[in-house]
């Protein structure tokens, strides 16, 4: 069974975000594999170790910097990489079109991806890719069982845990609790250097969503700290929780 | 005379002793001696053969003069051995006694074989006295050592084997029979002396022998002479047994120690450098033969004294790591088991016979055992806090920590097998240049937060000249509690008029945690980043806040070409106080205990300067038993700050154990000099619910308190 | 304009709060607001939806919609969009919502703005504000299409009190069995248990200041009131007051909730490493010097044993 894993390269989650010329600046930012995609890569490798998957291919769409993400996945144990060259400002639609085209050309029995990217938080691409490929999909999985041409997935759905079965080929997106991605050992990094990576151009697609503007959130006002009677403090805290944080009280 | 012997004369006109008197065929001893000597040489060759199996590198052929001095001083004066007074001095007696007796026997042999002149007159009396007395001290020594092992039974000697007893007995027998022989000789001489006044030199020259001679008063001269001969040959047999047994028993330590004293690590405490890591084909050590010969020699040198175990914080809190048993001795046994196979696989036909399985070996093939997983085990490997108590107290200068590091390197860089928390720490250091993983862009944020921005020369922004680089480190930048220590320090330096600068965002984690956990590659990456930064701004002198950073910058960066004058901030403060540039305005009058951190203390021998600073601030330090180089680790070293520590049944965690020790005198303050220690001890104080009465501070904070 | 549709989030007849929030907010605009509900026996929900502001309630009632499955729901929605031509269709940003919206958006080859925290909808386009980079930046995006598609973050709008006519429109079932490609094997509700730490929107944590199981009990009561997960600092876990899996921090779990309430936690760096990225942090601690106050948005220097009960009263 051939497994394709979609990975996205994102800013390090601790990165300080700054704007330059109205755009998010990437100066001095360390780029990492989207943590959710890292889990998908690990999941694919574990399927290979169990003898279920025969080959793990990682695909990413974006700039040349995406090569780092591919190399990391290869160092973890993936077999091959595909870099789809695309403008980093491509939206979810264009991204999905590019990825799906590369996956279709490659052929896949199972497509894995993180269910959301840590930078844009969109949660759309895996589902879109499934639609283009005409595959069934299951999102936000915490475990997967593959047998007899079917994938049985456990997902963190609204209000509970859902077990869903789909036929293979399928697209499955991972929740971060599925597994603990392994640390690429030097051995893996060295082996990765010899693994093949293909570069292809993205299938053409226009953006359907336009960026109007970027902004930084209002600077966090200094925290309030009160030292008073417990009752007074509690009342003020309750107020803040209801009106500022907007908690849901049962 | 070939077939006869010199008779044992009553006395000699000139004080002396005729060698081999009364021993017919005495010359035979020098022929028979060839047997034990050959057995010995064969045994030594087998040892060398094992060391030759080592595939790794050990570069210890430098500094010949220093090494020779090291050998002479440490072997002859037993400097490390006597640090444990009772057993140590007894061993020293044993050693000196044996050494002198061996020299005496050697001189005798020289006379017998190549006719060296006898010792005569006062020289004879003097030398004979020394040898006799020291020989007796050796006898006392071996008896007391037996007492220690079998009556006192200290925990450190928890693996007594029957061979230990037999060796003691052999030594005792050799010494005792020696005195019986001497006593017989002197008794015979006394009985043959016409006048007692002719033999007084012998009373001085052999005081102990003289006493033993009184045992023979009821014997006839002829029977004494017969006993003399019998005992003499018997003594030869067991003494030759001793020589032959040396390479095959714990007696080998006689030579192993000398080799270890000569080849020991002369450099300041540092992890071993890996050169050309980019091109490396393997990382760390996976099989025992992958070590260098020095590490294999270490396994021989271990005489199971247990001083390492005694002081190991892991062992003393119930963990699997026991530097003696589960590290060195486990490795040694594995090497012993594996050696026949290794030698056989080198295509050496005469060794094939040796690979005939012993009963034990029949169950497990050492060639298939994993040194890391089966023999030492990952639990033991990760337990180590790198505190260096083992190496500090080992009388053989065995290098425990480098072996553990090599295992960790293999686990991390080759197998990719490490605790998840270590992985998280690595990822944090890679992406944000600090093990906490807080955004690197905020590294200089503490300056504004603590309101000291205006007194600090933030070099990349302010660009002012500076004499010292203040390497604040990750803790000052990202640990809220430790930001206050950074604040106190810069205020002190500012007050003293010290010219210093700080790199802020252009400072990176020193890499200590990465290196100690075995991720050499990450360490070198971080080190290179720092070196580039330092050189970019022409840094020459550095003041480091954290002892781990201090150790790394001072002892390890030079391995990568970074040569700077590195100081720990307590050294600088001590100097400033002594020079009067920092004058406390009040005496804190606080009763305090001081925690010697491992990396400032044992790794770098900085014990006095912090104490001087604390005293200047008016602190009255109550020295605890486990202080200075006997300090008990806080548990966070060796990268363990980032790992979970399990509390074992019947034991507390390392930091709680240490805190209890520091709380015994009920101090008002516990003072530390390291951010990890401050965290661990503070946690410990909270855990012991002693926060009301005992506060935990860093040295800089204490001094600043006395200035304000 | 041809109306804005709100896809109703409901299960077993319980409508989720986010649907009411969305209906109320859209009601404020001038355009027709319609609730769209798929299910079995869901016509009865029309009343509640009208209360919240729905002018129309489109109902597709069929066995095939008894449980959510992407295939049938998307097929149905597309058919209804073709029939009724709404200007915009909004979903909640939930597991079902984003799942359905993404698949449908791609099928229609349209753009989709997900997890929007603000919306400005006009004819044929919508301008949505999205929180990106884990809340460190905001992006305003324009989605043009027929219809305009977006998913809305729960909790950003308020439930109002303006009702709508709620006229029920029964839609024909367009979905067939051939559209279904997911087989639901089981569903285990987690209503009774607390949410998972790693995913919870609110986390209430107890530390050394809780002094024991009594203090932790207060933490748990507060958590249950807020539908929150319970966490603990190293001290609570070590002392055995909380299970190992609830440890938040350097060597425990890293959490990213909307609100983190630290009770009796000093905020040593090992703990901060696990929760400092929380959107809002509240802290209750008797030590005014505790480092947690450096990162808290609302800090209370008082005894948690008194504050928490009073807080719970105040929240009711």
């Amino acid at each position: 069974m051939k497994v394709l894993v979609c990975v996205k390269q994102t800013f390090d989650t601790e990165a300080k975000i700054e704007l330059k010329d109205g755009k998010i600046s990437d100066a001095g930012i360390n780029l990492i594999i989207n943590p959710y995609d890292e889990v998908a890569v690990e999941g694919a490798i574990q399927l290979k170790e169990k003898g279920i998957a025969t080959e793990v291919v990682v695909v990413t769409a974006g700039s040349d910097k995406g090569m780092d993400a591919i190399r990391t996945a290869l160092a973890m144990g993936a077999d091959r990489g595909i870099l789809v060259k695309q403008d980093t400002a491509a939206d979810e639609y264009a991204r999905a079109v590019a990825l799906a085209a590369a996956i279709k050309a490659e052929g896949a029995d199972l497509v894995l991806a993180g269910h959301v990217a840590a930078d844009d938080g969109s949660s759309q691409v895996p589902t879109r890719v499934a639609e283009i490929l005409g595959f069934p999909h299951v999102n936000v999985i915490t475990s997967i069982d593959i047998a007899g041409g079917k994938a049985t997935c456990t997902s963190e759905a609204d209000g509970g845990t859902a077990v869903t079965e789909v036929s293979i080929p399928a697209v499955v997106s991972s929740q971060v609790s599925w597994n603990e991605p392994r640390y690429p050992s030097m051995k893996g990094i060295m082996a990765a250097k010899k693994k093949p990576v293909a570069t292809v151009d993205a299938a053409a697609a226009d953006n359907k969503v336009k960026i109007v503007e970027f902004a930084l959130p209002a600077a966090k006002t200094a925290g309030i700290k009160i030292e008073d009677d417990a009752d007074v403090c509690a009342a003020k805290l309750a107020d803040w929780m209801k009106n500022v944080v907007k908690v849901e009280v049962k | 005379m070939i077939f006869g012997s010199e008779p044992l004369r009553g006395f000699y006109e000139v004080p002396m002793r005729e060698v081999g008197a009364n021993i017919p065929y005495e010359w035979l001893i020098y022929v028979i001696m060839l047997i034990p000597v050959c057995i010995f040489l064969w045994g030594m060759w087998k040892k060398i053969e094992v060391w030759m199996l080592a595939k790794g590198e050990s570069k210890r052929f430098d500094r010949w003069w220093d090494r020779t001095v090291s050998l002479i001083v440490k072997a002859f004066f037993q400097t490390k051995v006597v640090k444990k007074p009772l057993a140590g001095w007894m061993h020293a007696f044993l050693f000196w006694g044996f050494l002198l007796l061996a020299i005496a026997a050697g001189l005798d042999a020289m006379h017998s074989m190549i006719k060296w002149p006898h010792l005569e007159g006062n020289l004879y009396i003097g030398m004979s006295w020394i040898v006799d007395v020291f020989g007796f001290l050796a006898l006392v020594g071996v008896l007391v050592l037996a007492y220690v092992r079998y009556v006192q039974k200290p925990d450190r000697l928890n693996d007594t084997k029957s061979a230990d007893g037999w060796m003691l007995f052999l030594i005792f027998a050799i010494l005792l029979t020696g005195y019986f022989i001497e006593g017989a000789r002197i008794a015979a001489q006394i009985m043959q002396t016409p006048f007692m006044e002719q033999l007084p030199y012998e009373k001085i020259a052999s005081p102990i022998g003289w006493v033993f001679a009184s045992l023979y008063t009821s014997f006839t001269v002829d029977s004494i002479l017969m006993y003399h001969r019998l005992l003499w040959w018997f003594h030869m047999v067991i003494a030759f047994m001793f020589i032959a047994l040396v390479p095959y028993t714990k007696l080998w330590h006689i030579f192993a120690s000398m080799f270890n004293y000569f080849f020991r690590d002369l450099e300041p405490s540092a992890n071993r450098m890996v050169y050309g890591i980019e091109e490396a084909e393997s990382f760390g050590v996976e099989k025992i033969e992958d070590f260098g010969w020095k590490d294999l020699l270490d396994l021989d040198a271990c005489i199971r004294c247990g001083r390492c175990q005694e002081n190991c914080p892991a062992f003393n809190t119930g963990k699997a790591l026991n530097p003696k048993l589960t590290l060195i001795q486990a490795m040694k046994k594995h090497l012993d088991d594996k050696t026949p196979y290794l030698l056989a696989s080198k295509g050496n036909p005469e060794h094939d016979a040796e690979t005939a399985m012993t009963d034990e070996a029949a169950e497990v093939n050492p060639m298939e055992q994993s040194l890391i997983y089966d023999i030492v085990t990952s639990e033991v490997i990760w337990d180590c806090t790198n505190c260096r108590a083992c190496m500090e107290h080992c009388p053989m200068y065995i290098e425990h920590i480098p072996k553990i590091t090599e295992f960790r390197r293999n686990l991390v860089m080759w197998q990719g097998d490490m605790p998840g928390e270590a992985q998280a720490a690595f990822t944090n250091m890679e992406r944000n240049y600090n093990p906490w993983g807080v955004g690197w862009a905020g590294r200089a944020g503490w300056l504004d937060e603590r309101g000291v921005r205006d007194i600090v020369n933030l070099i990349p922004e302010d660009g002012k000249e500076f004499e010292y680089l203040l390497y604040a480190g990750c803790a000052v930048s990202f640990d809220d509690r430790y930001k206050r220590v950074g604040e106190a320090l810069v205020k002190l330096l500012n007050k003293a008029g010290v010219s210093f600068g700080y790199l802020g965002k252009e400072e990176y984690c020193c890499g200590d945690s990465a290196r100690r956990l075995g991720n050499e590659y990450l360490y070198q990456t971080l080190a290179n980043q720092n070196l580039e930064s330092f050189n970019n701004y022409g840094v020459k002198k550095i003041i480091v806040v954290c002892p781990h950073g201090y150790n790394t910058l001072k002892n390890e960066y030079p391995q990568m070409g970074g040569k700077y004058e590195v100081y720990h901030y307590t050294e600088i403060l001590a100097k400033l106080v002594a020079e009067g540039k920092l004058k406390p305005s009040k005496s804190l009058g606080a009763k305090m205990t001081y925690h010697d951190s491992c990396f400032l203390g044992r790794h770098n021998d900085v014990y006095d300067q912090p104490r001087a600073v604390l005293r200047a601030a008016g602190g009255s330090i109550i020295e605890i038993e486990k202080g200075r180089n006997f300090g008990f680790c806080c548990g966070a070293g060796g990268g363990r700050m980032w790992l979970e520590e399990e509390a074992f049944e019947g034991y507390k965690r390392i930091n709680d154990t240490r805190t209890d020790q520091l709380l015994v005198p009920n101090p008002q303050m516990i003072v530390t000099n390291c951010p990890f220690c401050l965290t661990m001890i503070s946690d410990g104080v909270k855990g012991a619910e002693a926060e009301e009465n005992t506060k935990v501070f860093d040295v800089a904070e204490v001094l600043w308190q006395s200035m304000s | 304009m041809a109306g804005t549709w709100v896809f109703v989030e409901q299960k077993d007849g319980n409508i989720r709060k986010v649907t009411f929030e969305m209906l109320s907010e859209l009601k404020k605009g001038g355009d027709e607001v319609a609730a769209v509900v798929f299910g079995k026996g869901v016509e009865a929900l029309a009343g509640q939806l009208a209360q919240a502001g729905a002018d129309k309630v489109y109902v597709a009632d069929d066995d095939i919609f008894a449980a959510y499955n992407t295939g049938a729901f998307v097929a149905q929605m597309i058919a209804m969009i073709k029939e009724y031509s709404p200007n915009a269709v909004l979903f909640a940003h939930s597991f079902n919502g984003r799942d359905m919206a993404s698949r449908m958006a791609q099928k229609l080859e349209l753009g989709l703005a997900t997890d929007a925290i603000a919306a400005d909808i006009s004819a044929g386009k919508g301008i949505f504000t999205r929180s990106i980079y884990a809340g460190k930046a905001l992006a305003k995006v324009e989605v043009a299409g027929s219809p305009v598609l977006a998913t809305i973050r729960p909790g950003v709008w308020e439930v109002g009190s303006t009702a709508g006519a709620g006229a029920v429109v029964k839609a024909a079932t367009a979905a067939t069995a051939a559209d279904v490609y997911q087989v639901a094997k089981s569903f285990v509700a987690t209503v009774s248990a607390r949410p998972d730490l790693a995913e919870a929107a609110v986390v209430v944590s107890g530390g050394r200041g809780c002094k024991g199981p009594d203090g932790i009990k207060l933490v748990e009561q507060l958590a249950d009131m807020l539908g929150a997960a319970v966490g603990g600092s190293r001290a609570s876990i070590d002392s055995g007051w909380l299970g190992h899996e609830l440890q938040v921090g350097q060597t425990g779990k890293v959490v990213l909730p909307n609100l983190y309430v630290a009770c009796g936690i000093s905020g040593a760096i090992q703990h901060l490493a696990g929760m400092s990225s929380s959107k809002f942090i509240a802290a209750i601690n008797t030590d005014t010097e505790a480092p947690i106050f450096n990162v808290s948005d609302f800090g209370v220097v008082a005894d948690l044993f008194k504050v928490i009960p009073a807080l719970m009263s105040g929240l009711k």
Side-chain angles (χ1 to χ4, degrees), chain B residues 297-458:
Chain B
L297 169 58
D298 272 351
L299 303 181
D300 256 4
C302 173
I303 28 77
R304 303 182 289 115
C305 73
R307 292 186 199 183
C308 53
Q309 172 189 306
E310 218 174 27
N311 291 288
C312 175
F315 172 73
N316 282 297
T317 50
K319 305 204 172 33
L321 168 60
N322 176 335
K324 174 172 79 157
L325 292 178
T326 58
L327 181 64
I328 301 295
Q329 287 300 314
M331 289 170 68
K332 177 176 167 58
K333 176 167 191 308
H334 177 68
L335 179 61
D336 288 342
D337 288 341
K338 204 175 181 188
T339 297
Y341 294 86
L342 289 170
L343 291 171
S345 65
K346 274 172 79 174
N348 205 334
E350 70 188 89
H351 292 295
D352 284 335
E354 281 175 299
T355 64
M357 306 263 206
T358 59
D359 281 331
E360 205 183 285
E363 283 150 31
V364 170
N365 182 347
M367 291 299 272
E368 282 158 24
Q369 281 181 307
S370 160
L371 175 61
I372 290 181
Y373 290 106
D374 298 322
I375 307 292
V376 181
T377 77
S378 336
E379 201 188 341
V380 165
I381 292 168
W382 293 113
D383 277 344
C384 179
T385 65
N386 282 203
C387 78
R388 213 184 155 86
C390 49
M391 293 171 67
E392 172 76 18
H393 297 294
C394 177
M396 297 298 226
Y397 290 94
I398 291 169
E399 298 164 53
H400 307 71
I401 296 177
K403 298 179 186 31
I404 298 226
T405 308
E406 290 298 346
F407 294 141
R408 289 183 179 183
R409 284 173 177 174
N410 188 271
L411 282 171
V412 169
M413 293 196 286
W414 191 248
Q415 325 252 14
D417 177 9
M418 71 211 88
E421 314 98 77
Q423 189 173 319
F426 294 150
T427 306
N428 290 340
M429 284 185 270
E430 261 169 46
R431 297 181 183 169
N432 283 290
Y433 323 124
N434 70 86
W436 283 284
V438 183
W440 65 266
R443 200 171 177 107
W446 66 281
L447 295 175
D448 285 310
E449 231 180 278
R450 303 309 313 170
V452 291
R453 176 65 183 90
D454 49 337
I455 56 167
V456 173
N457 168 15
L458 186 58

Side-chain angles (χ1 to χ4, degrees), chain A residues 12-16 28-30 32-33 35 38 180-190 193, chain B residues 280-281 283 412-416 418 423 426-427 430-433 437-441 519 521-522:
Chain A
D12 173 52
T13 45
E14 285 290 314
K16 192 163 161 210
I29 300 284
N30 284 325
I32 62 170
I33 291 191
E38 212 178 1
E180 285 290 335
R182 66 196 64 189
Y183 187 75
S185 63
M186 286 299 292
K187 190 182 188 179
I189 294 172
M190 279 156 46
K193 289 185 191 160
Chain B
E281 299 266 300
F283 303 93
V412 169
M413 293 196 286
W414 191 248
Q415 325 252 14
M418 71 211 88
Q423 189 173 319
F426 294 150
T427 306
E430 261 169 46
R431 297 181 183 169
N432 283 290
Y433 323 124
V438 183
W440 65 266
N519 197 337
Y521 188 75
L522 175 57

Side-chain angles (χ1 to χ4, degrees), chain C residues 160-218:
Chain C
S161 47
T162 317
V168 173
V169 176
K170 285 197 225 193
T173 302
T176 65
D179 293 315
V180 177
Y181 48 77
Q182 293 159 340
V183 176
K185 297 295 246 188
S186 73
F187 182 83
V188 177
T190 52
V191 171
S192 46
R194 296 191 187 103
D196 180 48
L197 252 187
E199 295 306 307
V202 183
V203 176
V204 184
S205 266
R208 200 180 292 279
C210 289
K211 300 216 162 64
D214 290 332
I216 296 296
K217 202 144 158 229
L218 289 174

Side-chain angles (χ1 to χ4, degrees), chain B residues 436 478 480 484 644 653, chain C residues 234 238 250-251 269 272 289:
Chain B
W436 283 284
F478 301 113
D480 276 320
R484 290 168 209 257
E644 266 297 338
R653 286 212 177 88
Chain C
R234 173 71 175 265
D238 278 358
Q250 180 88 41
T251 51
I269 187 136
L272 291 187
E289 289 281 314

Side-chain angles (χ1 to χ4, degrees), chain A residues 113 115 127 137-145 151-166 171-178, chain C residues 11 68 70 94-96 98-99 182-190 196 199:
Chain A
H115 87 88
T127 313
H137 75 261
V138 185
N139 284 328
V140 200
I141 70 153
T142 54
S143 70
I144 186 171
D145 256 303
T152 307
C153 310
T154 307
S155 305
E156 265 178 28
D158 297 320
T161 308
V163 177
T164 313
E165 185 194 85
V166 291
V171 173
V172 172
S173 72
S174 60
Q175 175 55 291
V176 76
S177 45
W178 180 14
Chain C
K11 193 169 177 73
Y68 174 78
T70 323
S94 63
F95 178 85
N96 294 351
R98 55 186 190 239
D99 184 283
Q182 293 159 340
V183 176
K185 297 295 246 188
S186 73
F187 182 83
V188 177
T190 52
D196 180 48
E199 295 306 307

Side-chain angles (χ1 to χ4, degrees), chain B residues 17-90:
Chain B
R17 177 173 76 84
E18 179 61 59
V19 175
N22 189 45
I23 309 295
Y25 309 103
E26 181 255 356
W27 55 267
L28 260 181
I29 187 176
Y30 304 108
V31 174
I32 300 172
M33 188 174 76
L34 290 172
I35 302 174
V37 167
C38 283
I39 297 175
F40 171 87
L41 288 173
W42 176 248
M44 183 138 145
W45 161 242
K46 300 304 285 172
K47 294 282 184 195
I48 295 173
E49 227 184 358
V50 173
W51 301 334
M52 280 164 55
L53 285 170
K55 294 197 191 129
E57 264 194 359
S58 290
K59 293 199 172 116
R60 297 292 168 85
F61 291 101
D62 59 334
R63 297 172 67 177
W64 282 87
W65 176 248
D66 293 327
R67 295 187 176 284
T68 309
V69 169
S70 165
L71 169 61
I72 292 171
V73 168
K74 291 182 195 312
F76 195 74
F77 290 106
Q78 299 272 287
T79 46
K80 226 28 195 313
V81 177
V82 300
K83 293 254 190 234
K84 202 170 230 341
L86 182 62
W89 280 103
M90 291 304 118

